[in-house]
Amino acid sequence: MLTRNGPLKGVRVIEMAGIGPAPFAAMHLADMGAEVVRITRPGQAFPLPIEDKHNLFNRSRRSLVLDLRQVDDAKKLWALIERTEILIEGFRPGKMEKLGFGPEAVLARNPALIYGRMTGWGQTGPLAQAAGHDLNYAAIAGAVHGLGEADRPPPAPMNLIADQGGGAMMLNVGILAALTHARATGEGQVVDAAMCDGVNLLMTMQHGLAAGGAWSGERAGDFINGGVAWYRCYETADGKFISIGCVEPQFFAEFLRLTGLSDDPRFADQYAPEAQPAMREALTTLFLTRTQAEWCEVLEGSDACFAPVVPLAEAAAHPHNRARESFVTVGGIEMPAPAPRFSHTPPDTPTTGDAGSVELNEILQHWRTAT
């Protein structure tokens, strides 16, 4: 199962197994066809109490168990490093160097290799050696301060902003950019992907708006963080929720038409700050008059910029996701399908998280003969 289809078919990757965004990055590369080999240490296990098959970040690749403190196992990793294009690690700065596999040593053996480093704080800086998680890395980038309601502390935004958005996806963009350079020149390099750096980049629009006087940065204080009545979520009669986001005037006008509010004077000036409380109160009352399903009949599929707020367990059943086949079921587990989509090199269906182990000889045999 080393060979997979997709636009990255044949790209060889070593992943130093860990948790968080580095495994997600490796999963994403494997989804797109890369031949990813996970290097795990003896007895290594996921810290949460789930079966291996449910740890979907480990899908679509097999694992080689190595104890890098042992000379023979270290030699096995060197044999792979000499034949790979990409190495991904997500450890605290200095750990790979202590193991004898830091960038300087690795690039000396394989000068064209891309050495992808995934951390929260980066390889340098006063916080580089401190522990942390997604919430912390997003917090210092200003991405958490503006979340939630004005009279409450900011909520924890799951692990999407720093781990996956500012971390894994930035790492993969960097890796693939560096791979393009390496294949053209034979020159490898280190990709230092820090989650805090990535979240800073994700906040580029907000920095521009703030510089132009159009972004306060406060909770529920701006037009796309709940500060206006027409860009937020509302409760429905059955205790469920809907979302509206009609930013542009033509979409706001369509929303008003479909909800019967076109002639309501409270909605005459869409962007007026002083009009927002009355609009919000009116919409709160309005959406409580019908169920979520009834509002979907009125608004879904229109230019009103509307969608129901769907629980995770129901996402795959939404008609749009079902029509696009956005989820696949493998081994009885429903999971997101690979993304994005490719017209000429569609990826294979992923595996579950327990794809199994692989022996060194199998990898070497394949990597000697593959073209």
Side-chain angles (χ1 to χ4, degrees):
M1 194 207 67
L2 286 172
T3 301
R4 296 184 60 79
N5 290 313
L8 296 182
K9 182 176 182 178
V11 175
R12 302 172 179 182
V13 182
I14 294 172
E15 171 201 359
M16 307 303 294
I19 62 172
F24 182 85
M27 180 209 80
H28 195 217
L29 296 177
D31 277 354
M32 293 188 288
E35 300 174 2
V36 184
V37 176
R38 297 178 67 247
I39 305 300
T40 63
R41 63 181 183 273
Q44 185 171 2
F46 189 64
L48 296 180
I50 59 173
E51 296 182 54
D52 287 345
K53 66 180 181 179
H54 294 125
N55 185 10
L56 296 181
F57 276 12
N58 288 348
R59 72 188 190 184
S60 302
R61 55 210 195 274
R62 290 157 70 188
S63 300
L64 174 64
V65 180
L66 296 177
D67 183 350
L68 298 180
R69 297 168 297 181
Q70 304 299 319
V71 174
D72 287 346
D73 279 5
K75 289 180 179 178
K76 292 178 181 179
L77 181 55
W78 280 120
L80 295 180
I81 285 172
E82 291 170 353
R83 294 166 174 80
T84 194
E85 291 184 278
I86 298 166
L87 184 147
I88 294 174
E89 62 97 356
F91 303 136
R92 203 176 300 206
K95 180 172 181 178
M96 287 294 284
E97 285 82 352
K98 289 179 180 178
L99 291 170
F101 293 93
E104 185 175 348
V106 167
L107 288 168
R109 297 280 285 266
N110 184 348
L113 181 137
I114 308 306
Y115 198 111
R117 314 200 82 172
M118 181 78 264
T119 59
W121 307 114
Q123 297 295 316
T124 60
L127 296 176
Q129 290 297 329
H133 279 292
D134 175 281
L135 177 61
N136 312 123
Y137 312 134
I140 72 162
V144 175
H145 181 80
L147 299 178
E149 298 298 334
D151 59 348
R152 303 173 195 171
M158 293 196 284
N159 65 332
L160 301 177
I161 295 177
D163 272 8
Q164 272 66 276
M169 302 309 292
M170 296 295 179
L171 175 63
N172 277 356
V173 169
I175 283 174
L176 296 177
L179 180 63
T180 300
H181 175 80
R183 287 188 165 185
T185 67
E187 181 182 55
Q189 61 186 300
V190 177
V191 178
D192 174 6
M195 286 178 253
C196 57
D197 293 347
V199 179
N200 282 330
L201 184 63
L202 294 178
M203 295 290 289
T204 298
M205 184 185 78
Q206 283 75 13
H207 281 282
L209 291 172
W215 188 265
S216 73
E218 297 304 316
R219 288 187 291 286
D222 297 292
F223 74 101
I224 53 173
N225 73 342
V228 293
W230 35 265
Y231 197 97
R232 59 185 303 119
C233 297
Y234 290 91
E235 187 175 1
T236 56
D238 52 350
K240 298 181 180 181
F241 299 89
I242 57 87
S243 67
I244 58 170
C246 40
V247 176
E248 295 84 351
Q250 68 271 26
F251 299 151
F252 183 64
E254 179 67 356
F255 169 75
L256 296 181
R257 185 186 71 80
L258 291 172
T259 53
L261 295 170
S262 297
D263 297 325
D264 191 319
R266 293 172 293 183
F267 293 84
D269 192 343
Q270 179 183 358
Y271 277 89
E274 65 275 9
Q276 302 307 317
M279 281 195 277
R280 180 176 175 179
E281 182 180 0
L283 293 179
T284 298
T285 300
L286 176 67
F287 283 118
L288 284 171
T289 63
R290 301 186 190 185
T291 66
Q292 184 192 73
E294 289 170 334
W295 282 117
C296 285
E297 291 180 7
V298 175
L299 296 168
E300 195 166 27
S302 73
D303 278 355
C305 303
F306 165 93
V309 176
V310 178
L312 179 71
E314 299 174 15
H318 187 278
H320 186 78
N321 289 331
R322 193 166 60 242
R324 286 185 56 78
E325 298 180 338
S326 297
F327 289 80
V328 295
T329 300
V330 183
I333 301 174
E334 194 170 62
M335 66 182 78
R341 304 177 185 212
F342 298 90
S343 60
H344 293 296
T345 54
D348 288 336
T349 299
T351 72
T352 55
D354 56 349
S357 61
V358 63
E359 295 299 324
L360 177 68
N361 288 340
E362 181 182 350
I363 305 170
L364 293 179
Q365 177 62 31
H366 176 72
W367 282 5
R368 285 193 189 107
T369 58
T371 57

